[in-house]
């Protein structure tokens, strides 16, 4: 349940440990010593200038907030596990003050579950399908020798001969109970009907769930159904379903039983038995890998028996392109299908399939899936196997897609990406400007303290920071055209010197007083030139690397 929070933690770039410059394992004494030192530095009463006083108050409050959290064992445990966002979760004030991280996580997950329950009450998860069947046989049948042209028409006659609309919404009742309301309307050649269904599902355990269905329609009559799912073993599950239809011709019972088993990591085997108006026994084998999807199915039943095989190849590209083909043969005839599928935007997938069958003829199926809505457009081209119909059904959608993709989709997606990048740049620039202002304010407040520290260190030939730079350095000759992004941090580091020593912990230096991140998202390092005992030293340290100076290995003379 803590997963949703983890993504937010990454975006929170203020580190309390870095702000106080202490280790994550820092003791209460270390925290107090660092806090007192920063309080002396930033205390508002030390400054008479109104602007400096305001800046000091802001920095003083940040330091005080960091110390309050880290000095309290309960708050510190929450912060260590979940970051600042974890402290903002409602309900901690009434939680017993646990001490172990395991107990803290348990309490947090309980609060998250309560918040998730409130979210469930507002979620309906709507799903829908719209199918529009088009009869375009007049496009090709008019060129058949036996075709008789209808009077008064020079243009082919294309009509919509069937439609189907279905919609469903979910209404979570509790964490384990969900109600689903669904309905559909269909029409074909002027005749239509509809039905409405109500399903209540309960998750009984991690191994199974059950649901009860009630339905009513204007053709078949009321329906009562029961469905149960159960994980039998870690590699095998089973589904049982039974129903009772109250039709004008009497009661029509039905039931089905399906069992499935993992044959290996990528392969599933299914066996299904159905009894009722369309009794049948079906077995299938499904293999799904990263690059392909294969299905083999055999059904023996009344009135339909068939053998079906399909294969889908998945390209490993950004648009998730797939090409597929299948063949199905049985008492009804033989159908061959081939097609392609591609992601055209962040939430939309477009596919086209050509179906060639005997005696069905040639049909082009266009499908657009966007979020939870699906739009289907089956276009029936001819009742016969005409090569021209197959050619145009294959080439036509491809040419249209290429034209639309190049003229509309690509410009639209590029404009969206540029807009998002511009928003990110503005947001990043605003954040950097704010952090830069805070860092500059901190440096102004440090100047008097730094002057005293330098005087004390010079008197004993101690540690003097001559130059310090933080950010992204460009040293590779192949990257000379790229501008270095660094800031001067000489004063902030000198302010951290104590007893001729400078100790930086294993945390991003951007959180230190007087620092900010000049190049968000890029690798950074810290470069120092310092003097100790009258000898020059130099060191380059990675952003999150701990650093202790002075060190003998940093001497410039030793490198010559």
């Amino acid at each position: 349940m803590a997963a949703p929070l983890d993504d937010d933690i990454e975006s929170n770039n203020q580190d309390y440990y870095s702000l106080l410059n202490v280790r994550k394992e820092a003791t209460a004494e270390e925290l107090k010593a660092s806090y007192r030192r920063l309080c002396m530095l930033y205390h508002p009463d030390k400054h008479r200038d109104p602007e400096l006083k305001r800046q000091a108050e802001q920095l003083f409050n940040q330091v005080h907030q960091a110390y309050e959290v880290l000095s309290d064992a309960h708050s510190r445990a929450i912060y260590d596990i979940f970051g600042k966002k974890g402290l903002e979760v409602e309900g901690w004030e009434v939680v017993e003050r646990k001490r172990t991280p395991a107990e803290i996580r348990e309490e947090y997950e309980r609060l998250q579950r309560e918040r998730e329950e409130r979210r469930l009450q507002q979620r309906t998860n709507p799903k829908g399908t719209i199918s529009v069947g088009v009869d375009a046989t007049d496009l090709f049948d008019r060129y058949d020798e036996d075709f008789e042209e209808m009077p008064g028409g020079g243009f082919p006659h294309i009509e919509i001969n069937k439609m189907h609309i279905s919609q469903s919404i979910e209404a979570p009742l509790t964490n384990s109970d969900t109600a689903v309301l669904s309905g559909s309307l269909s029409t074909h050649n002027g005749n239509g009907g509809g039905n409405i269904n109500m399903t209540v599902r309960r998750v009984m355990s991690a191994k199974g769930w059950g649901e009860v269905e009630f339905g009513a329609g204007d053709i078949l009559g009321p329906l009562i159904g029961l469905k149960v799912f159960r994980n039998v073993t870690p590699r095998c599950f089973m589904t049982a379903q039974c129903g009772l239809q109250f039709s004008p011709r009497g009661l029509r019972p039905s039931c089905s039983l399906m069992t499935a088993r993992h044959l290996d990591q990528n392969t599933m085997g299914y066996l299904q038995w159905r009894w009722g108006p369309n009794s049948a026994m079906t077995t299938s084998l499904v293999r799904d890998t990263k690059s392909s999807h294969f299905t083999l199915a055999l059904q023996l039943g009344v009135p339909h028996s068939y053998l079906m095989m399909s294969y889908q190849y998945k390209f490993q590209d950004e648009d998730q392109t797939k090409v597929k083909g299948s063949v199905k043969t049985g008492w009804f005839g033989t159908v061959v299908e081939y097609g392609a599928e591609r992601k055209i935007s962040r939430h939309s997938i477009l596919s086209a399939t050509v179906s060639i069958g005997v005696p069905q003829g040639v049909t082009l199926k266009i499908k657009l899936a966007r979020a939870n809505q699906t739009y289907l457009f089956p276009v029936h081209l001819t009742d016969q196997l005409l090569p021209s119909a197959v050619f145009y059904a294959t080439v036509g959608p491809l040419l249209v897609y290429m034209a639309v993709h190049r003229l509309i989709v690509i410009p639209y997606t590029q404009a969206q990406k540029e807009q998002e990048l511009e928003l990110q740049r503005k947001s990043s620039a605003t954040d950097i400007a704010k952090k830069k202002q805070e860092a500059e304010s901190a440096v102004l407040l440090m100047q008097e303290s730094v002057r005293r520290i330098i005087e004390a260190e010079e008197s004993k030939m101690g540690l003097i920071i001559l130059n310090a730079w933080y950010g992204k350095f460009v040293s590779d000759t192949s990257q000379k055209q790229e501008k270095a992004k660094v800031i001067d941090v000489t004063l902030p580091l000198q302010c951290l010197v104590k007893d001729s020593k400078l100790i930086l912990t294993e945390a991003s230096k951007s959180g230190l007083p007087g620092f900010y991140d000049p190049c968000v998202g890029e690798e950074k390092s810290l470069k120092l030139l310092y003097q100790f005992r009258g000898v020059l030293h130099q060191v380059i340290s990675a952003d999150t690397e701990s650093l202790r100076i002075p060190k003998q290995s940093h001497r410039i003379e030793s490198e010559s």
Side-chain angles (χ1 to χ4, degrees), residues 317-432:
D317 59 353
E318 184 180 355
D319 296 323
Q320 302 176 10
T321 306
K322 301 174 185 177
V323 293
K324 53 189 176 182
S326 68
V327 59
K328 187 175 181 180
T329 182
W331 305 135
F332 53 83
T334 301
V335 178
V336 176
E337 292 187 346
Y338 59 89
E341 176 183 297
R342 195 170 196 182
K343 187 176 182 180
I344 59 174
S345 70
R346 183 181 301 177
H347 303 291
S348 301
I349 298 176
L350 179 66
S351 66
T353 304
V354 179
S355 177
I356 307 169
V358 178
Q360 291 86 354
V362 181
T363 302
L364 171 64
K365 303 175 183 178
I366 306 295
K367 178 181 177 181
L368 175 64
R370 180 169 177 80
N372 290 333
Q373 301 294 318
T374 303
Y375 305 91
L376 299 172
F377 302 94
V379 183
H380 189 51
L381 300 177
T382 176
D383 294 326
Q384 307 175 47
L385 294 183
L386 298 179
S388 58
V390 176
F391 174 79
Y392 286 110
T394 305
V395 177
L398 184 61
L399 294 177
V400 172
Y401 170 77
M402 292 176 64
V404 172
H405 186 69
R406 183 174 295 274
L407 298 176
I408 299 177
V409 176
I410 291 180
Y412 175 74
T413 53
Q414 285 180 346
Q416 273 193 325
K417 288 180 180 179
E418 290 176 2
Q419 186 178 5
E420 290 176 359
L421 287 174
E422 183 63 26
L423 290 174
Q424 289 178 0
R425 281 194 292 266
K426 288 181 179 179
S427 176
S428 178
T430 303
D431 186 58
I432 291 176

